[in-house]
């Protein structure tokens, strides 16, 4: 359930940036002949021409949609170019898109705290940059008008086509604006500059929302696309929200949004305004009630996290129509492939970024034979993650069997699996000074020196045996509706990240020499252990590690 966070006293400037038809743009950069052409990227799957996962704006004009398959898109738009995603291990290989996303993140992160929200989205906290601009070169005194900023869409400003740019320029550069709006104007100019920089350096266009909080910035970033930005002045919030369907709000797309509609008759955010905070608390509890009351008024204190690397790693594959998997052997073949890729990615995250993933989760879509319309879902299952391809494969298969058992209940019937995915989540940074962990993993003879702070980690460091994870939060995982995968290990970012870490680690080098064992390190750095983590002495077997835990399915905005 969502929780209301206190709104900071000082006004903030937050941007949400989302790339336009992202995979298409990546393919257009690889093959410039596709630029300006109706183009779509299709999944690796030849059934009915493959499912579309990204559609260019030129193709959208013909009515081509992501929900279509290649054959249908060709009928709607015969001149469309269909590009297949790169393939590895008989499935989509999204690395090229992940690293392209990371190129953009590296540019955007230069201006403020940056949170990578999905493969093609980030949040930026530009408060400090905006304040600095206001102090050093306030827009109203500036002699330079930044052309791209004047193309912004500003909510609440009449959008008369003839003089739109004039009114936007007047709004951005007026001197009688209040402090909040002045900051927002600076934010709009900074975002316009960043978007130009992204275009110059990567050839990609993106769209953005600029507001005083994350919720509003995200709500408007896709309002005017492609290659545009939208600003939400405080004075325009109420009018903007009033007619917005509640289901469009983050965290109201699911059960809570349905309950608002069905139980309270709330269809739009405006309808929500009719309820007092107390009434909403009566229905949904103190926290959620307050949260609902606040978001209806455009208030949200959620912070931009300082995170350039992904929150989780996921690999998935869909098996539409006749491709559905029908027995354990074929499920195992595919799970093994998915786990192999997942294992490589978490291993390289550990090597490059010194991050450890704690939870392995399996999602699937299934139907019982002759009951494919049934709404019963295959339950997602998760367990603590053990490093090493073989172990991940073994655990994933156990999770699948456990999920299938719950899905079928007592019925002994045939089944079809139409999608499978595995994810590694709850990733945490190994606290600084913990190169001793790597040393421990490598063996007692290794020496810790700046030259080998990044040693290749053996395939099976058995970390799973040393970490017993007590899950204390709900998982926030998105079902894979296609071969959506989250994220990247981009070399640029990894290098930056690595450089930061090495700096920290080398500072701590003297301490590292002393802390040469995990128990010692645990004792020393208890305050650094993330909550929910409990370290156990190594034991030969730890049955609880493999006990699958059911998790709640929640939709969030990350793209796999
Ligand atoms: P989106 O940002 O949802 O869409 P988009 O960038 O293609 O188009 P828009 O201009 O409307 O933002 O997704 C980003 C990329 O993620 C998209 O290019 C392809 C991939 N993706 C999938 O593979 N499957 C999916 O179901 C979705 C939603 C996205
Ligand atoms: Ca996008
Ligand atoms: Ca997106």
């Amino acid at each position: 359930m969502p929780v209301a966070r206190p709104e900071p006293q000082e006004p903030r400037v937050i941007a949400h940036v989302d790339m336009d038809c992202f995979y298409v743009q990546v393919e257009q950069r690889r093959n410039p002949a596709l630029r300006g052409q109706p183009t779509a990227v299709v999944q690796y799957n030849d059934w009915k021409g493959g499912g579309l996962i990204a559609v260019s704006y030129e193709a959208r004009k013909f009515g081509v949609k992501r929900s279509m398959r290649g054959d249908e898109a060709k009928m709607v738009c015969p001149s469309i170019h269909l590009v297949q995603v790169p393939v590895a291990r008989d499935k989509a290989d999204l690395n090229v898109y992940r690293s392209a996303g990371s190129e953009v993140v590296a540019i955007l992160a230069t201006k403020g705290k940056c949170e990578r929200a999905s493969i093609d989205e980030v949040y930026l906290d530009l408060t400090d940059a905006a304040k600095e601009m206001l102090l050093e070169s306030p827009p109203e005194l500036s002699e330079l008008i930044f052309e791209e900023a004047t193309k912004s869409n500003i909510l609440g400003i009449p959008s008369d086509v003839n003089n739109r740019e004039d009114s936007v320029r007047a709004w951005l550069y007026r001197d009688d604006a209040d402090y909040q709006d002045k900051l927002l104007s600076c934010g709009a100019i900074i975002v316009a500059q960043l978007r130009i920089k992204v275009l110059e350096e990567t050839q990609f266009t993106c769209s953005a929302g600029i507001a005083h909080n994350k919720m509003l910035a995200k709500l408007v970033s896709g309002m005017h696309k492609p290659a545009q930005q939208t600003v939400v002045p405080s004075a325009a919030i109420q009018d903007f929200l009033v007619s917005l369907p509640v289901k469009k709000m983050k965290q109201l797309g699911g059960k809570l949004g349905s309950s608002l509609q069905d139980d309270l008759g709330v269809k739009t955010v405006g309808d929500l305004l009719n309820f007092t905070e107390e009434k909403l608390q009566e229905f949904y509890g103190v926290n959620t009630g307050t949260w609902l009351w606040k978001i209806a008024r455009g208030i949200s204190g959620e912070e931009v996290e300082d995170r350039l690397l992904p929150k989780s790693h996921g690999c998935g594959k869909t098996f539409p129509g006749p491709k559905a998997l029908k027995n354990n052997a074929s499920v195992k073949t595919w799970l093994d492939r998915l786990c192999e890729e997942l294992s490589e990615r978490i291993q390289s995250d550990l090597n490059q970024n010194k991050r450890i993933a704690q939870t392995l989760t399996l999602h699937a879509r299934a139907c019982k034979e002759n009951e494919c319309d049934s709404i019963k879902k295959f339950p997602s299952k998760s367990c603590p993650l053990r490093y090493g391809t073989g172990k991940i494969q073994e655990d994933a298969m156990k999770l699948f069997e456990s999920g299938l058992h719950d899905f079928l209940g007592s019925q002994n019937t045939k089944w079809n699996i139409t999608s499978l995915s595995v994810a590694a989540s709850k990733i945490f940074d190994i606290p600084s000074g913990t190169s001793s962990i790597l040393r421990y993993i490598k063996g007692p003879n290794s020496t810790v020196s700046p030259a080998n702070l990044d040693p290749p980690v053996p395939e099976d460091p058995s970390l799973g045996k040393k970490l017993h994870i007590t899950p204390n939060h709900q998982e926030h995982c998105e079902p894979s509706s296609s071969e959506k995968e989250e994220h990247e290990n981009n070399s640029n970012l990894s290098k930056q990240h690595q450089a930061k870490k090495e700096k920290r680690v080398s500072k701590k080098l003297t301490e590292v020499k002393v802390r040469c064992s995990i128990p010692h390190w645990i004792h020393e750095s208890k305050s650094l252990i993330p909550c929910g983590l409990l370290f156990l002495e190594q034991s030969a077997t730890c049955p609880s590690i493999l006990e699958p835990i059911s998790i709640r399915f929640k939709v969030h905005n990350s793209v796999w």
Side-chain angles (χ1 to χ4, degrees):
M1 281 288 180
V3 174
R5 290 175 213 281
E7 176 88 338
Q9 298 295 313
E10 293 274 305
R12 295 175 298 159
V13 180
I14 310 291
H16 177 259
V17 180
D18 180 271
M19 307 306 294
D20 302 319
C21 56
F22 187 44
Y23 290 10
V24 170
Q25 287 205 78
V26 175
E27 295 303 337
Q28 286 173 331
R29 184 172 74 170
R30 276 153 40 116
N31 177 8
L34 297 174
R35 279 193 200 288
Q37 301 291 320
T39 307
V41 174
V42 289
Q43 290 194 46
Y44 172 65
N45 203 321
D46 54 12
W47 188 60
K48 292 191 183 169
L52 270 53
I53 51 177
V55 181
S56 76
Y57 282 81
E58 292 81 6
R60 292 184 202 194
K61 284 188 196 139
F62 288 85
V64 178
K65 296 203 166 59
R66 183 160 26 215
S67 53
M68 294 177 173
R69 302 200 71 86
D71 292 353
E72 203 182 346
K74 279 261 179 210
M75 271 161 41
V76 179
C77 172
S79 59
I80 195 167
H81 299 267
L82 298 177
V83 184
Q84 206 184 64
V85 293
V87 174
R89 292 190 185 92
D90 254 350
K91 65 175 284 295
D93 175 5
L94 305 184
N95 277 327
V96 62
Y97 309 120
R98 285 191 198 102
S99 0
S102 299
E103 285 175 45
V104 177
V105 174
I107 297 165
L108 297 177
T110 54
K111 279 287 176 188
K113 204 200 273 181
C114 177
E115 171 184 335
R116 187 163 193 179
S118 80
I119 198 160
D120 80 331
E121 282 168 44
V122 306
Y123 288 100
L124 296 173
D125 187 334
L126 299 171
T127 313
D128 290 343
K131 282 182 178 167
E132 199 180 307
M133 180 184 272
L134 206 49
L135 270 178
E136 285 169 15
S137 50
E140 72 267 22
L141 300 182
S142 167
E143 281 168 14
L144 280 174
I145 301 285
F146 195 69
E147 192 65 26
E148 184 57 34
T150 63
K151 295 191 168 68
S152 302
N153 302 277
I154 300 187
L155 296 192
I157 292 204
S159 51
D160 177 346
V161 190
N162 293 327
N163 64 2
R164 210 196 77 182
E165 284 195 21
D166 291 342
S167 5
V168 172
R169 183 178 297 123
W171 190 88
L172 288 175
Y173 294 89
R174 76 207 152 122
D175 56 13
D176 60 347
D178 64 21
Y179 181 62
Q180 294 197 6
D181 278 356
K182 280 190 176 174
L183 277 184
L184 223 44
S185 299
C186 294
I189 295 169
I190 295 167
V191 172
Q193 289 167 343
L194 282 171
R195 288 182 32 246
I196 296 274
K197 202 162 176 226
V198 167
L199 183 61
E200 282 170 358
E201 294 185 16
T202 68
Q203 302 171 32
F204 300 143
T205 66
C206 55
S207 299
I210 301 123
H212 291 301
N213 63 45
K214 278 172 94 171
M215 176 185 80
L216 293 167
K218 163 89 179 165
L219 275 173
V220 299
S221 64
M223 203 175 207
H224 297 98
K225 261 183 166 271
Q228 293 183 67
Q229 61 183 50
T230 306
V231 182
V232 194
S234 306
I237 296 174
Q238 213 61 31
D239 279 355
F240 163 59
L241 288 179
V242 81
S243 55
L244 196 77
V246 275
K247 287 266 183 181
K248 293 243 174 194
M249 304 288 280
K250 198 178 158 198
Q251 294 187 291
L252 291 183
K255 277 188 191 163
L256 183 54
S258 302
S259 161
L260 281 169
Q261 287 191 349
D262 303 342
D263 304 328
L264 301 187
V266 168
K267 294 203 167 45
T268 62
V269 179
D271 296 338
L272 200 52
L273 289 171
N274 298 327
F275 292 83
T276 62
E277 187 173 356
E278 290 72 29
K279 200 82 205 148
L280 292 169
Q281 288 179 336
E282 245 173 60
F283 276 99
Y284 297 108
V286 175
N287 280 332
T288 306
T290 298
W291 178 79
L292 285 167
W293 188 87
K294 286 190 165 175
I295 59 153
R297 287 153 185 82
I299 305 168
S300 162
E302 199 189 337
E303 297 253 354
V304 173
E305 288 171 36
D306 194 359
R307 182 169 50 73
L308 305 188
L309 294 165
K311 218 171 173 172
S312 61
H313 297 284
C315 312
K317 170 89 186 157
T318 52
F319 307 96
K323 305 227 173 224
L325 309 178
K326 294 173 193 293
N327 55 52
N328 272 3
S330 54
V331 167
K332 179 159 175 21
T333 304
W334 277 106
L335 266 187
D336 282 355
R337 285 179 193 159
L338 297 174
C339 291
E340 200 178 297
E341 183 189 328
L342 185 70
S343 178
E344 271 175 20
R345 284 174 44 203
I346 59 172
Q347 193 67 37
S348 97
D349 203 1
L350 175 61
N351 292 345
Q352 294 177 13
N353 309 316
K354 310 286 177 282
R355 301 201 311 160
I356 294 188
Q358 301 174 72
T359 303
L360 174 69
T361 302
L362 175 125
H363 303 291
R365 287 223 173 117
C367 62
K368 294 173 197 163
E369 198 163 56
N370 307 324
E371 271 186 52
C372 272
D373 295 333
S374 154
I375 48 160
K376 182 162 182 192
K377 285 190 175 154
F378 191 100
S380 295
K381 295 278 175 180
S382 64
C383 69
L385 191 149
R386 300 188 298 155
Y387 275 67
T389 306
K391 288 193 164 68
I392 295 175
Q393 289 169 331
E394 190 186 313
D395 293 352
M397 195 61 203
K398 285 190 176 146
L399 293 177
F400 172 77
E401 282 161 0
S402 163
L404 187 65
H405 178 267
D406 292 358
F407 177 70
L408 294 177
S410 53
Q411 283 177 296
N412 185 14
T413 172
K414 290 187 175 166
W415 43 266
N416 283 350
I417 295 292
T418 54
S419 111
L420 265 183
S421 66
V422 282
S425 62
K426 296 203 177 147
I427 301 178
F428 74 93
D429 279 333
I430 300 174
S432 57
T434 325
S435 50
S436 54
I437 271 200
L438 300 178
R439 180 178 169 187
Y440 183 91
I441 293 164
K442 265 204 103 185
N445 295 332
S446 80
T447 50
V448 179
S449 74
N452 70 353
L453 280 173
D454 194 8
V457 175
E459 177 66 350
D460 176 14
S462 300
L463 277 169
K465 281 187 183 156
K466 297 180 181 70
L467 303 182
H468 169 68
I469 297 129
T470 313
N472 59 351
H473 301 298
Q474 285 168 0
E475 287 276 12
H476 289 246
C477 297
E478 188 181 22
S480 74
S481 64
S482 61
E483 291 177 37
K484 302 190 286 182
E485 296 183 32
E486 195 168 12
H487 320 311
E488 70 312 306
N489 273 317
N490 168 261
S491 52
N492 288 347
L493 288 176
S494 299
K495 273 181 214 148
Q496 281 179 13
H497 203 72
Q498 181 59 18
K500 258 197 205 164
K501 285 220 161 116
E502 286 194 2
K503 230 174 162 183
R504 265 191 279 153
V505 172
S506 62
K507 235 171 108 190
K508 293 242 170 188
L509 204 58
T510 39
E511 292 161 58
V512 169
K513 279 183 184 150
V514 186
R515 291 190 209 148
C516 56
S517 72
I518 284 190
H520 192 119
W521 170 73
I522 294 162
H523 182 75
E524 292 278 300
S525 51
K526 257 187 192 137
S527 60
L528 295 170
I529 297 170
C531 63
L533 260 185
L534 186 74
F535 289 79
L536 293 182
E537 292 289 332
Q538 180 166 11
S539 57
T541 52
C542 181
S544 63
I545 281 172
L546 274 183
E547 213 158 84
I549 309 152
S550 287
I551 63 153
R552 292 272 294 275
F553 232 61
K554 278 214 163 184
V555 174
H556 75 154
N557 61 357
S558 66
V559 177
W560 278 40

